[in-house]
Amino acid sequence: MSGTSFVLIFLGLFLAGGAYSFWRQKLPKGVIVLLAICGVMSLAAGLLRI
């Protein structure tokens, strides 16, 4: 696993956690969707680089 893959996976998990936290706080759905999409894209990029 390269350092870039690790960073992308970590970033994806961090963004997914942020989206979940925002969802629990009932914040605007646009922000939640944006964070979730960024999280999924980061996770996918990190996993494809392994």
Side-chain angles (χ1 to χ4, degrees):
M1 178 184 285
S2 68
T4 306
S5 294
F6 178 75
V7 169
L8 286 171
I9 291 170
F10 182 77
L11 179 65
L13 292 174
F14 179 76
L15 290 172
Y20 178 71
S21 174
F22 282 4
W23 175 73
R24 299 246 323 159
Q25 294 176 25
K26 307 286 191 229
L27 292 177
K29 289 186 180 183
V31 175
I32 296 168
V33 169
L34 181 64
L35 279 176
I37 290 172
C38 290
V40 168
M41 288 175 59
S42 294
L43 278 172
L47 291 174
L48 289 175
R49 290 182 141 251
I50 290 180

